[in-house]
Amino acid sequence: MESKSSSAAFRAFCSQHGLAATHQRQILFEVVQEMEGHPSPEEIYARVRRRIPSISLATVYKNLHLFVESGIVGEVSLHHGSLRIETNRTAHHHLVCRGCKSITDLDEKSFRLEMEHDHISAAFQVERYSIEVVGLCPACKKE
Amino acid sequence: MESKSSSAAFRAFCSQHGLAATHQRQILFEVVQEMEGHPSPEEIYARVRRRIPSISLATVYKNLHLFVESGIVGEVSLHHGSLRIETNRTAHHHLVCRGCKSITDLDEKSFRLEMEHDHISAAFQVERYSIEVVGLCPACKKE
DNA sequence: TGACAGACGATAATAGTTATCTTCTAATAG
DNA sequence: CTATTAGAAGATAACTATTATCGTCTGTCA
Ligand SMILES: [Mn+2]
Ligand SMILES: [Mn+2]
Ligand SMILES: [Zn+2]
Ligand SMILES: [Zn+2]
């Protein structure tokens, strides 16, 4: 029944997004949901291969993108593909478009942040914090 | 005199960090400081090449890393090399070590954030925000 | 004015990701 | 229960980003 409800959730997900309910897709769906932390595509691929040794890495990437688009999984900060240098050395934050990945500076004074340091291990040496406001820019909104 | 003071700043920077004051390093130093926004290494390389056509991309990368380490430039969110999937769908934030790049979840309730939406163009459709607390984990602190 | 550590350039190697193309299969109309 | 077909999977080539290697060169300092 665990597998039954999980399978039902998967089928619901697929029909909502107009996707075929394939075996590979289902295993990936299950594996991603049972993994903890912030795995890379390679790590997910390694796990899925234990259940479908013949699966292709490309299939994993393609479906992860679909899952991210559908919101069933997220992305730990937006992946820009390459290193981005910050030349503005004043304290500030960012507005990031998840469509075109454009980055806009936001003045620090637009935010008032209170942090309860108690929740962060005293052994961790905090140097700074940054806030990313994520969404869609005007151009990407009308895709 | 502009070049003189900038050159003095560069020399001070190099001696503080035990680096040789080379021509390539100086041009890169200047170019990075006059660029705006959040350029990629390739974009910086293109700019530096206008002044030193023979410079190598590897030199640009090596020096950008040195500049980031020294804090003279920053990084727009930490670069993890690959996409990282977020499997935790509850609202939360992250503690990130700039040494080993480990990512730890932080409960949303550890923060109280007030945003002045007025400062964000109404045309930008905000979907979520995430806070990254950056620093050094215990293991990396004693490098 | 050397000696030499460290910097540079060229380029090979590796990692991450995407594109292409062929084969296969889930969905579904008959 | 077939036959049809759009979309999915697999194999793999291609590409982009980044790092490593290594021979040569040069800034630094005695
Ligand atoms: Mn910025
Ligand atoms: Mn997380
Ligand atoms: Zn956009
Ligand atoms: Zn660390």
Side-chain angles (χ1 to χ4, degrees):
Chain A
M1 47 205 71
E2 208 287 304
S3 69
K4 188 158 185 186
S5 72
S6 139
S7 168
F10 172 69
R11 289 179 172 281
F13 164 76
C14 286
S15 74
Q16 270 166 42
H17 293 272
L19 300 172
T22 68
H23 181 59
Q24 288 88 338
R25 191 119 73 201
Q26 171 154 15
I27 300 302
L28 180 59
F29 183 91
E30 288 171 14
V31 162
V32 161
Q33 305 216 293
E34 77 200 12
M35 283 183 89
E36 302 207 329
H38 309 91
S40 67
E42 285 285 350
E43 286 164 347
I44 294 166
Y45 176 52
R47 278 270 215 138
V48 173
R49 272 219 281 196
R50 304 215 293 248
R51 293 175 63 183
I52 313 177
S54 65
I55 199 169
S56 156
L57 177 59
T59 297
V60 171
Y61 268 98
K62 281 184 282 206
N63 282 295
L64 285 178
H65 288 320
L66 289 173
F67 290 174
V68 169
E69 278 167 39
S70 79
I72 201 139
V73 298
E75 233 182 304
V76 179
S77 93
L78 289 198
H79 189 243
H80 288 101
S82 67
L83 177 66
R84 293 310 170 90
I85 293 298
E86 177 61 80
T87 61
N88 177 351
R89 301 274 58 203
T90 68
H92 68 284
H93 301 294
H94 292 119
L95 189 61
V96 188
C97 173
R98 72 168 162 80
C100 61
K101 313 227 165 153
S102 61
I103 306 166
T104 310
D105 286 352
L106 288 175
D107 193 51
E108 171 189 46
K109 291 163 194 65
S110 309
F111 301 88
R112 210 143 324 272
L113 179 68
E114 288 169 44
M115 230 182 300
E116 303 188 16
H117 265 242
D118 327 352
H119 291 140
I120 297 174
S121 154
F124 190 100
Q125 178 183 312
V126 174
E127 293 175 345
R128 66 186 175 88
Y129 66 92
S130 70
I131 301 169
E132 266 181 27
V133 179
V134 181
L136 285 178
C137 76
C140 291
K141 186 155 38 170
K142 41 179 175 179
E143 51 251 76
Chain B
M1 45 208 74
E2 209 288 305
S3 69
K4 189 158 185 184
S5 72
S6 137
S7 170
F10 172 69
R11 291 180 170 281
F13 164 78
C14 286
S15 74
Q16 271 166 41
H17 292 273
L19 299 173
T22 67
H23 181 59
Q24 288 89 336
R25 191 119 74 199
Q26 172 154 15
I27 301 302
L28 181 59
F29 184 90
E30 290 171 12
V31 162
V32 162
Q33 305 215 293
E34 78 200 11
M35 284 183 88
E36 303 207 328
H38 310 90
S40 67
E42 285 285 350
E43 286 165 347
I44 294 166
Y45 175 52
R47 278 270 214 139
V48 173
R49 273 218 281 195
R50 305 216 292 246
R51 295 175 63 182
I52 314 177
S54 64
I55 199 169
S56 157
L57 177 60
T59 298
V60 171
Y61 267 98
K62 282 183 282 207
N63 282 296
L64 284 178
H65 289 320
L66 289 172
F67 291 174
V68 169
E69 278 167 37
S70 79
I72 201 138
V73 297
E75 233 182 305
V76 178
S77 95
L78 290 196
H79 189 243
H80 289 101
S82 67
L83 176 67
R84 293 311 171 91
I85 293 299
E86 175 62 80
T87 62
N88 178 350
R89 302 275 55 203
T90 69
H92 68 285
H93 300 294
H94 292 117
L95 189 63
V96 188
C97 173
R98 70 167 165 81
C100 61
K101 314 227 164 154
S102 61
I103 305 167
T104 310
D105 287 351
L106 288 175
D107 192 51
E108 171 188 46
K109 290 163 194 64
S110 309
F111 301 88
R112 212 145 325 274
L113 179 68
E114 287 170 46
M115 227 182 301
E116 303 188 15
H117 264 243
D118 327 350
H119 291 140
I120 296 174
S121 155
F124 191 100
Q125 178 182 313
V126 174
E127 294 176 345
R128 66 187 176 90
Y129 66 91
S130 69
I131 300 170
E132 270 182 22
V133 180
V134 181
L136 285 176
C137 75
C140 291
K141 185 154 42 173
K142 42 182 175 178
E143 53 250 74

